[in-house]
Structures are given as C-alpha cells and as structure tokens.
Amino acid sequence: MVLLYILITIASVAALVAAASARVIRQYERGLVFRFGRVRPDLREPGLTFLMPVSDRLHKVNMQVVTMPVPAQDGITRDNVTVRVDAVVYFKVMDPVLAVVNVEDYRSAVGQVAQTSLRSIIGKSELDDLLSNRERLNQGLEMMIDSPALEWGIHIDRVEIKDVALPESMKRSMSRQAEAERERRARVISADGELQASHKLAEAARTMADTPAALQLRLLETVVEVAAEKNSTLVLPFPVELLRFLENSSSLPSRDRSTMTTE
C-alpha cells in the first residue's frame, strides 16, 4: 500500500514537472532556449516543446512582417524648403538569435534608425523629388535602414513615404505657379490657333484673288447662313469688286457719247 502511494506521488510530481516544462510555440513564432544564461544553437520550431526545469528559459520571437509607422519628421530640403514628412517601414526577423542577442529591443532600434534616415534623406533631396520621385527616395531610404539592421538579424522589406506636408505659404506659391503655367499654355495654344487661322485665311484670299467667282459664291453662302437665323432684317454686304465693275460699266457710255460729240 505504501509502495502504491509512493508511485502515485512520483507520477504526480513527474506530471507537474512535465506540465511546467511544456511550452507551445505558435506557427509564426520561433523559440530560443537559454540554458543557464547561454543561448542554445538549435531553434524550437512551432508546436509543443519541452524544457529542462530550472535550467532552461524560453524566449519567443515573432517572425511576422511588422508594420512600423515612422513619426513625422521636420526638415529642410536641399533647396531650402521646410517640410514635414512621415513614412512607414515593413520589416521582419530573419535571424532570431541575432535579433535577441545583438540588440536589446530590435523594434525600438529599427524605429530610431528609420527616423534618423528619414531626416537625412530630407536634407539630401529637393522638394520636387519628394513630391514626384518618391520611388527612388523609398529605395534610398530602404538601403539606409537595411544597412545597420542586417547586423541585428532584421530584413527591411520596404519603406514608403506616406505624406509630405508643406507650409501654407508654399502651397499658395505652388498654386499661383500652377495657375500661371496653365494660363501660359492657354495663351500659347490660342496664339498657335490664330497663326494657323491666318495662314488658312491668307491661302483663301490668294485663291479668291485668282478666281473672282469664288468671292461671289462665298457671298451667297453668307447670305444663306444669315437667312437661316430667321432675322427680320437682312444686311447684305456689297463687294467692292462689284462696285468697281458697275463703275466701269457706267463710265463706258459717257466716253462714247463724248467721242461722238467731238466728231
């Protein structure tokens, strides 16, 4: 009977020890085991794992992609414009041992490097690059953050500049510049249209000068267009060439009469 109690006690203690040493690692995690303060080289994979009581400590590392917003940073661009820029960094842990051993808090470290790199990239860039050439700036910013992060076992997936805030005075200046540019284009287009129209009118005038009947046809077309508006009064333009023709016709009989009188 005493032996049975001893066996039950041993089994209970073993069950308690096994329950205390059992750990569950999720699919997106990896486990680091510290045995008497020294990290074990083998990582614990997802699932159920057991530790040695007293001597082992388990540290779980998240292997998911982390989305970290970078607080807005104030800076002066290379062309002396004050801007406020914020960004977002996407990174993940590639080497859990380096991420835990080489840096105290890898999330905070990545955040600080991202802020300093963002301020640096602002000072090296012009305003037009920040507004229209963000892809190249994103790549440069990613390289600046990824360089120290490699020593921490961190891989930078991508970096995106989210917003560029400008002073109100600069916004008004850019608005006036855009308005002036649109007005300049409108004037150029209008002048180009006038130039083309003048070429066509000159060509039409040369054609009508070679063919006087064309002027009469144009006159009739104008009369038809005016009459189509159902106006009560119709103003009919009288060409100067017709007046000259009538003048020449009327002056011919008078010359003939003077000739006959002289004879």
Side-chain angles (χ1 to χ4, degrees), residues 102-168:
N102 286 8
V103 62
E104 180 180 2
D105 186 354
Y106 65 87
R107 291 175 180 262
S108 177
V110 171
Q112 294 299 320
V113 171
Q115 294 181 36
T116 55
S117 300
L118 183 57
R119 286 195 294 268
S120 177
I121 207 72
I122 292 173
K124 295 179 181 179
S125 305
E126 295 184 356
L127 179 61
D128 292 339
D129 294 334
L130 289 175
L131 295 177
S132 60
N133 196 11
R134 292 189 182 181
E135 188 65 28
R136 184 178 61 84
L137 296 180
N138 291 338
Q139 294 176 0
L141 190 58
E142 180 180 345
M143 293 179 61
M144 294 177 65
I145 302 175
D146 193 52
S147 180
L150 290 176
E151 300 179 0
W152 306 332
I154 306 298
H155 173 67
I156 305 298
D157 277 354
R158 62 186 304 172
V159 182
E160 295 286 346
I161 295 177
K162 293 197 300 183
D163 187 28
V164 179
L166 300 175
E168 292 298 327

Short mmCIF file of all heavy atoms in Angstrom, two decimals, residues 102-168:
data_model
loop_
_atom_site.label_atom_id
_atom_site.label_comp_id
_atom_site.label_asym_id
_atom_site.label_seq_id
_atom_site.Cartn_x
_atom_site.Cartn_y
_atom_site.Cartn_z
N ASN A 102 22.01 40.47 -30.16
CA ASN A 102 22.82 41.61 -30.59
C ASN A 102 22.21 42.96 -30.28
O ASN A 102 22.92 43.96 -30.27
CB ASN A 102 23.09 41.54 -32.09
CG ASN A 102 24.10 40.46 -32.43
OD1 ASN A 102 24.49 39.67 -31.58
ND2 ASN A 102 24.53 40.43 -33.68
N VAL A 103 20.92 43.03 -30.04
CA VAL A 103 20.27 44.31 -29.77
C VAL A 103 19.26 44.11 -28.66
O VAL A 103 18.61 43.06 -28.56
CB VAL A 103 19.61 44.87 -31.06
CG1 VAL A 103 18.53 43.94 -31.56
CG2 VAL A 103 19.06 46.26 -30.84
N GLU A 104 19.13 45.12 -27.80
CA GLU A 104 18.25 44.99 -26.65
C GLU A 104 16.78 44.94 -27.06
O GLU A 104 16.02 44.09 -26.61
CB GLU A 104 18.48 46.16 -25.70
CG GLU A 104 17.60 46.12 -24.46
CD GLU A 104 17.85 47.29 -23.54
OE1 GLU A 104 18.69 48.15 -23.88
OE2 GLU A 104 17.21 47.34 -22.47
N ASP A 105 16.37 45.89 -27.94
CA ASP A 105 14.98 45.95 -28.41
C ASP A 105 15.04 46.28 -29.90
O ASP A 105 15.24 47.44 -30.29
CB ASP A 105 14.21 47.02 -27.64
CG ASP A 105 12.72 47.03 -28.00
OD1 ASP A 105 12.32 46.28 -28.92
OD2 ASP A 105 11.96 47.78 -27.37
N TYR A 106 14.90 45.26 -30.73
CA TYR A 106 15.08 45.49 -32.16
C TYR A 106 13.99 46.38 -32.75
O TYR A 106 14.22 47.11 -33.72
CB TYR A 106 15.16 44.16 -32.92
CG TYR A 106 13.93 43.31 -32.89
CD1 TYR A 106 12.92 43.49 -33.83
CD2 TYR A 106 13.77 42.30 -31.95
CE1 TYR A 106 11.78 42.70 -33.82
CE2 TYR A 106 12.64 41.51 -31.93
CZ TYR A 106 11.64 41.71 -32.87
OH TYR A 106 10.52 40.93 -32.86
N ARG A 107 12.79 46.36 -32.22
CA ARG A 107 11.73 47.25 -32.72
C ARG A 107 12.10 48.71 -32.48
O ARG A 107 11.97 49.55 -33.39
CB ARG A 107 10.41 46.92 -32.05
CG ARG A 107 9.81 45.57 -32.44
CD ARG A 107 8.57 45.28 -31.62
NE ARG A 107 7.99 44.00 -31.97
CZ ARG A 107 6.97 43.83 -32.81
NH1 ARG A 107 6.42 44.89 -33.39
NH2 ARG A 107 6.49 42.63 -33.08
N SER A 108 12.53 49.03 -31.28
CA SER A 108 12.91 50.40 -30.98
C SER A 108 14.13 50.82 -31.81
O SER A 108 14.20 51.97 -32.28
CB SER A 108 13.21 50.55 -29.49
OG SER A 108 13.66 51.85 -29.19
N ALA A 109 15.08 49.89 -31.99
CA ALA A 109 16.27 50.22 -32.77
C ALA A 109 15.92 50.53 -34.22
O ALA A 109 16.42 51.50 -34.80
CB ALA A 109 17.26 49.06 -32.70
N VAL A 110 15.06 49.72 -34.81
CA VAL A 110 14.64 49.98 -36.20
C VAL A 110 13.90 51.31 -36.29
O VAL A 110 14.08 52.08 -37.25
CB VAL A 110 13.78 48.82 -36.72
CG1 VAL A 110 13.17 49.17 -38.07
CG2 VAL A 110 14.61 47.55 -36.84
N GLY A 111 13.07 51.61 -35.31
CA GLY A 111 12.34 52.87 -35.33
C GLY A 111 13.25 54.08 -35.26
O GLY A 111 13.05 55.06 -35.99
N GLN A 112 14.28 54.01 -34.41
CA GLN A 112 15.20 55.14 -34.30
C GLN A 112 16.03 55.32 -35.57
O GLN A 112 16.26 56.43 -36.04
CB GLN A 112 16.12 54.94 -33.09
CG GLN A 112 15.42 54.98 -31.75
CD GLN A 112 14.76 56.31 -31.49
OE1 GLN A 112 15.29 57.37 -31.81
NE2 GLN A 112 13.57 56.28 -30.92
N VAL A 113 16.49 54.21 -36.14
CA VAL A 113 17.25 54.30 -37.39
C VAL A 113 16.37 54.85 -38.51
O VAL A 113 16.83 55.65 -39.35
CB VAL A 113 17.82 52.91 -37.77
CG1 VAL A 113 18.42 52.94 -39.17
CG2 VAL A 113 18.87 52.48 -36.78
N ALA A 114 15.11 54.46 -38.54
CA ALA A 114 14.20 54.96 -39.57
C ALA A 114 14.00 56.47 -39.45
O ALA A 114 13.97 57.18 -40.46
CB ALA A 114 12.86 54.23 -39.48
N GLN A 115 13.88 56.97 -38.23
CA GLN A 115 13.69 58.41 -38.05
C GLN A 115 14.92 59.20 -38.48
O GLN A 115 14.81 60.21 -39.20
CB GLN A 115 13.37 58.70 -36.58
CG GLN A 115 12.04 58.15 -36.11
CD GLN A 115 11.75 58.48 -34.67
OE1 GLN A 115 12.10 59.57 -34.18
NE2 GLN A 115 11.10 57.57 -33.96
N THR A 116 16.10 58.76 -38.07
CA THR A 116 17.32 59.48 -38.46
C THR A 116 17.56 59.38 -39.97
O THR A 116 17.99 60.36 -40.60
CB THR A 116 18.53 58.91 -37.70
OG1 THR A 116 18.60 57.49 -37.93
CG2 THR A 116 18.39 59.14 -36.22
N SER A 117 17.26 58.23 -40.56
CA SER A 117 17.44 58.09 -42.01
C SER A 117 16.46 58.97 -42.77
O SER A 117 16.81 59.54 -43.82
CB SER A 117 17.25 56.62 -42.41
OG SER A 117 18.20 55.79 -41.77
N LEU A 118 15.23 59.10 -42.26
CA LEU A 118 14.24 59.95 -42.92
C LEU A 118 14.66 61.41 -42.88
O LEU A 118 14.54 62.13 -43.89
CB LEU A 118 12.88 59.76 -42.25
CG LEU A 118 11.70 60.53 -42.86
CD1 LEU A 118 11.52 60.18 -44.33
CD2 LEU A 118 10.43 60.26 -42.08
N ARG A 119 15.18 61.87 -41.74
CA ARG A 119 15.68 63.24 -41.67
C ARG A 119 16.85 63.45 -42.61
O ARG A 119 17.00 64.51 -43.24
CB ARG A 119 16.08 63.58 -40.23
CG ARG A 119 14.90 63.81 -39.30
CD ARG A 119 15.34 64.48 -38.03
NE ARG A 119 16.21 63.61 -37.25
CZ ARG A 119 15.78 62.78 -36.30
NH1 ARG A 119 14.48 62.72 -36.03
NH2 ARG A 119 16.62 62.02 -35.63
N SER A 120 17.72 62.45 -42.72
CA SER A 120 18.87 62.56 -43.61
C SER A 120 18.44 62.63 -45.07
O SER A 120 18.97 63.42 -45.86
CB SER A 120 19.80 61.37 -43.39
OG SER A 120 20.90 61.42 -44.29
N ILE A 121 17.47 61.80 -45.45
CA ILE A 121 17.03 61.79 -46.85
C ILE A 121 16.30 63.09 -47.20
O ILE A 121 16.32 63.54 -48.36
CB ILE A 121 16.12 60.57 -47.12
CG1 ILE A 121 16.20 60.16 -48.61
CG2 ILE A 121 14.70 60.83 -46.75
CD1 ILE A 121 17.47 59.53 -49.00
N ILE A 122 15.66 63.73 -46.22
CA ILE A 122 15.01 65.03 -46.48
C ILE A 122 16.06 66.08 -46.81
O ILE A 122 15.91 66.86 -47.76
CB ILE A 122 14.17 65.46 -45.26
CG1 ILE A 122 12.96 64.53 -45.09
CG2 ILE A 122 13.70 66.90 -45.41
CD1 ILE A 122 12.17 64.80 -43.82
N GLY A 123 17.15 66.11 -46.03
CA GLY A 123 18.19 67.10 -46.27
C GLY A 123 18.93 66.91 -47.57
O GLY A 123 19.48 67.87 -48.12
N LYS A 124 18.96 65.69 -48.10
CA LYS A 124 19.68 65.43 -49.34
C LYS A 124 18.82 65.58 -50.59
O LYS A 124 19.35 65.52 -51.71
CB LYS A 124 20.25 63.99 -49.31
CG LYS A 124 21.29 63.76 -48.24
CD LYS A 124 21.76 62.32 -48.27
CE LYS A 124 22.80 62.06 -47.19
NZ LYS A 124 23.25 60.64 -47.18
N SER A 125 17.53 65.77 -50.43
CA SER A 125 16.61 65.79 -51.57
C SER A 125 16.04 67.19 -51.77
O SER A 125 16.02 68.01 -50.85
CB SER A 125 15.46 64.80 -51.35
OG SER A 125 15.95 63.51 -51.08
N GLU A 126 15.57 67.44 -52.98
CA GLU A 126 14.86 68.66 -53.30
C GLU A 126 13.35 68.43 -53.18
O GLU A 126 12.89 67.30 -53.13
CB GLU A 126 15.22 69.13 -54.71
CG GLU A 126 16.68 69.53 -54.86
CD GLU A 126 16.98 70.08 -56.24
OE1 GLU A 126 16.05 70.09 -57.08
OE2 GLU A 126 18.13 70.50 -56.47
N LEU A 127 12.63 69.54 -53.15
CA LEU A 127 11.18 69.44 -52.95
C LEU A 127 10.52 68.69 -54.09
O LEU A 127 9.60 67.88 -53.87
CB LEU A 127 10.58 70.85 -52.80
CG LEU A 127 9.06 70.90 -52.60
CD1 LEU A 127 8.66 70.17 -51.33
CD2 LEU A 127 8.59 72.35 -52.56
N ASP A 128 10.95 68.93 -55.32
CA ASP A 128 10.34 68.24 -56.46
C ASP A 128 10.54 66.74 -56.37
O ASP A 128 9.66 65.96 -56.76
CB ASP A 128 10.93 68.77 -57.77
CG ASP A 128 10.52 70.21 -58.04
OD1 ASP A 128 9.51 70.64 -57.46
OD2 ASP A 128 11.21 70.89 -58.82
N ASP A 129 11.69 66.28 -55.84
CA ASP A 129 11.92 64.85 -55.68
C ASP A 129 10.98 64.26 -54.64
O ASP A 129 10.46 63.15 -54.80
CB ASP A 129 13.37 64.59 -55.28
CG ASP A 129 14.35 64.96 -56.38
OD1 ASP A 129 13.93 64.93 -57.55
OD2 ASP A 129 15.51 65.29 -56.08
N LEU A 130 10.76 64.97 -53.54
CA LEU A 130 9.85 64.47 -52.51
C LEU A 130 8.42 64.36 -53.00
O LEU A 130 7.67 63.49 -52.55
CB LEU A 130 9.90 65.40 -51.28
CG LEU A 130 11.18 65.37 -50.45
CD1 LEU A 130 11.11 66.43 -49.36
CD2 LEU A 130 11.42 64.00 -49.84
N LEU A 131 8.05 65.23 -53.94
CA LEU A 131 6.67 65.24 -54.41
C LEU A 131 6.43 64.30 -55.58
O LEU A 131 5.35 63.73 -55.70
CB LEU A 131 6.27 66.67 -54.81
CG LEU A 131 6.23 67.70 -53.68
CD1 LEU A 131 5.89 69.07 -54.23
CD2 LEU A 131 5.27 67.30 -52.58
N SER A 132 7.43 64.13 -56.46
CA SER A 132 7.19 63.39 -57.69
C SER A 132 8.10 62.19 -57.90
O SER A 132 7.80 61.34 -58.74
CB SER A 132 7.33 64.33 -58.90
OG SER A 132 8.64 64.87 -58.95
N ASN A 133 9.18 62.09 -57.18
CA ASN A 133 10.14 60.99 -57.41
C ASN A 133 10.33 60.18 -56.13
O ASN A 133 11.45 59.94 -55.68
CB ASN A 133 11.48 61.56 -57.89
CG ASN A 133 12.36 60.51 -58.51
OD1 ASN A 133 11.91 59.39 -58.78
ND2 ASN A 133 13.61 60.83 -58.74
N ARG A 134 9.21 59.72 -55.58
CA ARG A 134 9.27 59.04 -54.29
C ARG A 134 9.83 57.62 -54.39
O ARG A 134 10.38 57.11 -53.42
CB ARG A 134 7.87 58.98 -53.67
CG ARG A 134 7.33 60.34 -53.26
CD ARG A 134 6.06 60.20 -52.46
NE ARG A 134 5.49 61.49 -52.10
CZ ARG A 134 4.39 61.65 -51.38
NH1 ARG A 134 3.73 60.57 -50.94
NH2 ARG A 134 3.93 62.85 -51.10
N GLU A 135 9.67 57.00 -55.55
CA GLU A 135 10.14 55.62 -55.67
C GLU A 135 11.65 55.54 -55.44
O GLU A 135 12.13 54.65 -54.72
CB GLU A 135 9.78 55.09 -57.06
CG GLU A 135 10.06 53.60 -57.24
CD GLU A 135 9.19 52.73 -56.35
OE1 GLU A 135 8.07 53.16 -56.01
OE2 GLU A 135 9.65 51.62 -56.00
N ARG A 136 12.40 56.46 -56.03
CA ARG A 136 13.85 56.46 -55.84
C ARG A 136 14.21 56.80 -54.40
O ARG A 136 15.13 56.20 -53.82
CB ARG A 136 14.49 57.47 -56.78
CG ARG A 136 16.01 57.50 -56.73
CD ARG A 136 16.57 58.48 -57.73
NE ARG A 136 16.12 59.83 -57.46
CZ ARG A 136 16.72 60.63 -56.57
NH1 ARG A 136 17.76 60.20 -55.87
NH2 ARG A 136 16.28 61.86 -56.36
N LEU A 137 13.47 57.72 -53.79
CA LEU A 137 13.73 58.06 -52.39
C LEU A 137 13.39 56.89 -51.47
O LEU A 137 14.09 56.66 -50.48
CB LEU A 137 12.91 59.30 -52.00
CG LEU A 137 13.26 60.59 -52.74
CD1 LEU A 137 12.38 61.74 -52.25
CD2 LEU A 137 14.73 60.94 -52.57
N ASN A 138 12.34 56.15 -51.79
CA ASN A 138 12.00 54.98 -50.98
C ASN A 138 13.11 53.94 -51.02
O ASN A 138 13.45 53.33 -50.00
CB ASN A 138 10.69 54.38 -51.47
CG ASN A 138 9.49 55.26 -51.19
OD1 ASN A 138 9.53 56.12 -50.31
ND2 ASN A 138 8.43 55.08 -51.95
N GLN A 139 13.68 53.74 -52.20
CA GLN A 139 14.78 52.77 -52.32
C GLN A 139 16.01 53.23 -51.55
O GLN A 139 16.66 52.43 -50.86
CB GLN A 139 15.12 52.57 -53.80
CG GLN A 139 14.01 51.92 -54.60
CD GLN A 139 14.34 51.81 -56.07
OE1 GLN A 139 15.41 52.24 -56.52
NE2 GLN A 139 13.43 51.25 -56.86
N GLY A 140 16.33 54.53 -51.65
CA GLY A 140 17.48 55.03 -50.89
C GLY A 140 17.25 54.95 -49.39
O GLY A 140 18.16 54.60 -48.63
N LEU A 141 16.04 55.24 -48.95
CA LEU A 141 15.72 55.15 -47.53
C LEU A 141 15.77 53.71 -47.04
O LEU A 141 16.24 53.42 -45.92
CB LEU A 141 14.33 55.75 -47.28
CG LEU A 141 13.89 55.97 -45.84
CD1 LEU A 141 14.87 56.88 -45.12
CD2 LEU A 141 12.50 56.57 -45.81
N GLU A 142 15.32 52.77 -47.87
CA GLU A 142 15.38 51.35 -47.51
C GLU A 142 16.82 50.88 -47.34
O GLU A 142 17.14 50.14 -46.40
CB GLU A 142 14.69 50.53 -48.59
CG GLU A 142 14.69 49.04 -48.34
CD GLU A 142 13.98 48.26 -49.43
OE1 GLU A 142 13.25 48.89 -50.22
OE2 GLU A 142 14.16 47.04 -49.49
N MET A 143 17.72 51.32 -48.22
CA MET A 143 19.13 50.93 -48.10
C MET A 143 19.76 51.51 -46.85
O MET A 143 20.56 50.84 -46.17
CB MET A 143 19.89 51.38 -49.35
CG MET A 143 19.49 50.66 -50.63
SD MET A 143 20.40 51.26 -52.06
CE MET A 143 22.08 50.86 -51.56
N MET A 144 19.41 52.74 -46.50
CA MET A 144 19.98 53.37 -45.30
C MET A 144 19.54 52.66 -44.03
O MET A 144 20.32 52.52 -43.08
CB MET A 144 19.56 54.84 -45.26
CG MET A 144 20.15 55.69 -46.38
SD MET A 144 19.56 57.40 -46.34
CE MET A 144 20.27 57.95 -44.79
N ILE A 145 18.30 52.18 -43.99
CA ILE A 145 17.81 51.48 -42.78
C ILE A 145 18.30 50.04 -42.76
O ILE A 145 18.60 49.49 -41.69
CB ILE A 145 16.28 51.54 -42.73
CG1 ILE A 145 15.80 52.99 -42.73
CG2 ILE A 145 15.75 50.82 -41.50
CD1 ILE A 145 14.28 53.13 -42.80
N ASP A 146 18.39 49.42 -43.93
CA ASP A 146 18.73 48.00 -44.00
C ASP A 146 20.20 47.74 -43.65
O ASP A 146 20.54 46.65 -43.17
CB ASP A 146 18.44 47.47 -45.40
CG ASP A 146 18.48 45.95 -45.47
OD1 ASP A 146 17.80 45.31 -44.64
OD2 ASP A 146 19.18 45.41 -46.33
N SER A 147 21.06 48.72 -43.84
CA SER A 147 22.49 48.52 -43.59
C SER A 147 22.78 48.17 -42.13
O SER A 147 23.44 47.15 -41.86
CB SER A 147 23.28 49.76 -44.02
OG SER A 147 24.66 49.59 -43.78
N PRO A 148 22.34 48.94 -41.14
CA PRO A 148 22.59 48.52 -39.75
C PRO A 148 21.67 47.39 -39.29
O PRO A 148 22.02 46.63 -38.38
CB PRO A 148 22.32 49.79 -38.94
CG PRO A 148 21.36 50.56 -39.76
CD PRO A 148 21.69 50.26 -41.18
N ALA A 149 20.49 47.25 -39.91
CA ALA A 149 19.54 46.22 -39.47
C ALA A 149 20.03 44.82 -39.78
O ALA A 149 19.62 43.86 -39.11
CB ALA A 149 18.17 46.46 -40.11
N LEU A 150 20.89 44.64 -40.77
CA LEU A 150 21.41 43.31 -41.09
C LEU A 150 22.19 42.73 -39.92
O LEU A 150 22.18 41.52 -39.70
CB LEU A 150 22.28 43.38 -42.34
CG LEU A 150 21.56 43.65 -43.67
CD1 LEU A 150 22.56 43.79 -44.81
CD2 LEU A 150 20.58 42.52 -43.98
N GLU A 151 22.89 43.57 -39.17
CA GLU A 151 23.66 43.08 -38.02
C GLU A 151 22.76 42.64 -36.88
O GLU A 151 23.23 41.97 -35.96
CB GLU A 151 24.61 44.17 -37.53
CG GLU A 151 25.62 44.63 -38.59
CD GLU A 151 26.51 45.73 -38.08
OE1 GLU A 151 26.34 46.12 -36.90
OE2 GLU A 151 27.39 46.19 -38.84
N TRP A 152 21.50 43.04 -36.93
CA TRP A 152 20.55 42.64 -35.88
C TRP A 152 19.66 41.49 -36.32
O TRP A 152 18.72 41.13 -35.61
CB TRP A 152 19.65 43.83 -35.50
CG TRP A 152 20.43 45.06 -35.13
CD1 TRP A 152 21.67 45.10 -34.58
CD2 TRP A 152 20.01 46.41 -35.29
NE1 TRP A 152 22.06 46.40 -34.39
CE2 TRP A 152 21.07 47.23 -34.81
CE3 TRP A 152 18.87 47.02 -35.79
CZ2 TRP A 152 20.99 48.61 -34.82
CZ3 TRP A 152 18.80 48.39 -35.80
CH2 TRP A 152 19.85 49.18 -35.32
N GLY A 153 19.93 40.92 -37.49
CA GLY A 153 19.10 39.83 -37.99
C GLY A 153 17.75 40.28 -38.49
O GLY A 153 16.81 39.48 -38.54
N ILE A 154 17.66 41.55 -38.92
CA ILE A 154 16.40 42.13 -39.39
C ILE A 154 16.52 42.39 -40.88
O ILE A 154 17.54 42.87 -41.37
CB ILE A 154 16.09 43.45 -38.66
CG1 ILE A 154 16.11 43.24 -37.14
CG2 ILE A 154 14.74 44.00 -39.10
CD1 ILE A 154 15.09 42.28 -36.63
N HIS A 155 15.45 42.06 -41.61
CA HIS A 155 15.39 42.34 -43.04
C HIS A 155 14.31 43.38 -43.30
O HIS A 155 13.15 43.20 -42.88
CB HIS A 155 15.08 41.07 -43.83
CG HIS A 155 14.83 41.32 -45.29
ND1 HIS A 155 15.81 41.77 -46.15
CD2 HIS A 155 13.69 41.20 -46.03
CE1 HIS A 155 15.30 41.91 -47.36
NE2 HIS A 155 14.02 41.57 -47.32
N ILE A 156 14.68 44.47 -43.98
CA ILE A 156 13.73 45.52 -44.31
C ILE A 156 13.06 45.16 -45.63
O ILE A 156 13.71 45.11 -46.68
CB ILE A 156 14.43 46.89 -44.42
CG1 ILE A 156 15.20 47.19 -43.14
CG2 ILE A 156 13.40 47.98 -44.70
CD1 ILE A 156 14.35 47.28 -41.90
N ASP A 157 11.76 44.88 -45.57
CA ASP A 157 11.03 44.53 -46.79
C ASP A 157 10.86 45.73 -47.71
O ASP A 157 11.19 45.68 -48.89
CB ASP A 157 9.66 43.95 -46.43
CG ASP A 157 9.76 42.47 -46.09
OD1 ASP A 157 10.85 41.91 -46.25
OD2 ASP A 157 8.75 41.89 -45.66
N ARG A 158 10.34 46.82 -47.17
CA ARG A 158 10.15 48.02 -47.97
C ARG A 158 9.91 49.21 -47.06
O ARG A 158 9.53 49.05 -45.88
CB ARG A 158 8.98 47.86 -48.95
CG ARG A 158 7.64 47.63 -48.30
CD ARG A 158 6.57 47.35 -49.33
NE ARG A 158 6.51 48.43 -50.30
CZ ARG A 158 5.75 48.37 -51.40
NH1 ARG A 158 5.06 47.29 -51.65
NH2 ARG A 158 5.72 49.39 -52.23
N VAL A 159 10.14 50.39 -47.61
CA VAL A 159 9.91 51.65 -46.90
C VAL A 159 9.10 52.55 -47.83
O VAL A 159 9.43 52.69 -49.01
CB VAL A 159 11.23 52.33 -46.50
CG1 VAL A 159 10.96 53.61 -45.72
CG2 VAL A 159 12.09 51.39 -45.67
N GLU A 160 8.06 53.17 -47.31
CA GLU A 160 7.20 54.03 -48.12
C GLU A 160 7.06 55.38 -47.42
O GLU A 160 6.77 55.46 -46.22
CB GLU A 160 5.80 53.42 -48.30
CG GLU A 160 5.78 52.12 -49.08
CD GLU A 160 5.99 52.33 -50.57
OE1 GLU A 160 5.88 53.49 -51.02
OE2 GLU A 160 6.27 51.33 -51.26
N ILE A 161 7.29 56.46 -48.19
CA ILE A 161 7.00 57.81 -47.71
C ILE A 161 5.50 58.05 -47.88
O ILE A 161 4.97 57.98 -48.99
CB ILE A 161 7.82 58.86 -48.48
CG1 ILE A 161 9.31 58.66 -48.19
CG2 ILE A 161 7.39 60.27 -48.09
CD1 ILE A 161 10.21 59.61 -48.97
N LYS A 162 4.81 58.33 -46.79
CA LYS A 162 3.36 58.44 -46.85
C LYS A 162 2.90 59.84 -47.25
O LYS A 162 2.08 59.99 -48.16
CB LYS A 162 2.75 58.07 -45.49
CG LYS A 162 2.92 56.61 -45.10
CD LYS A 162 1.96 56.23 -43.99
CE LYS A 162 2.17 57.07 -42.74
NZ LYS A 162 1.29 56.64 -41.64
N ASP A 163 3.40 60.85 -46.60
CA ASP A 163 2.87 62.20 -46.84
C ASP A 163 3.98 63.21 -46.68
O ASP A 163 4.90 63.03 -45.87
CB ASP A 163 1.73 62.49 -45.86
CG ASP A 163 1.04 63.80 -46.16
OD1 ASP A 163 1.04 64.20 -47.34
OD2 ASP A 163 0.51 64.44 -45.23
N VAL A 164 3.87 64.28 -47.48
CA VAL A 164 4.79 65.42 -47.40
C VAL A 164 3.95 66.65 -47.12
O VAL A 164 3.17 67.09 -47.98
CB VAL A 164 5.61 65.58 -48.69
CG1 VAL A 164 6.53 66.79 -48.59
CG2 VAL A 164 6.41 64.32 -48.99
N ALA A 165 4.07 67.20 -45.92
CA ALA A 165 3.29 68.38 -45.53
C ALA A 165 4.12 69.63 -45.79
O ALA A 165 5.27 69.74 -45.36
CB ALA A 165 2.91 68.30 -44.04
N LEU A 166 3.51 70.58 -46.50
CA LEU A 166 4.17 71.84 -46.86
C LEU A 166 3.57 72.99 -46.07
O LEU A 166 2.40 72.95 -45.68
CB LEU A 166 4.02 72.11 -48.36
CG LEU A 166 4.59 71.07 -49.31
CD1 LEU A 166 4.25 71.44 -50.75
CD2 LEU A 166 6.09 70.95 -49.15
N PRO A 167 4.34 74.06 -45.85
CA PRO A 167 3.76 75.27 -45.23
C PRO A 167 2.68 75.88 -46.12
O PRO A 167 2.68 75.71 -47.34
CB PRO A 167 4.98 76.20 -45.08
CG PRO A 167 6.18 75.31 -45.18
CD PRO A 167 5.78 74.17 -46.07
N GLU A 168 1.76 76.62 -45.50
CA GLU A 168 0.67 77.22 -46.25
C GLU A 168 1.18 78.23 -47.27
O GLU A 168 0.63 78.33 -48.38
CB GLU A 168 -0.30 77.91 -45.28
CG GLU A 168 -1.07 76.94 -44.39
CD GLU A 168 -1.95 76.00 -45.20
OE1 GLU A 168 -2.45 76.43 -46.27
OE2 GLU A 168 -2.15 74.86 -44.77
#
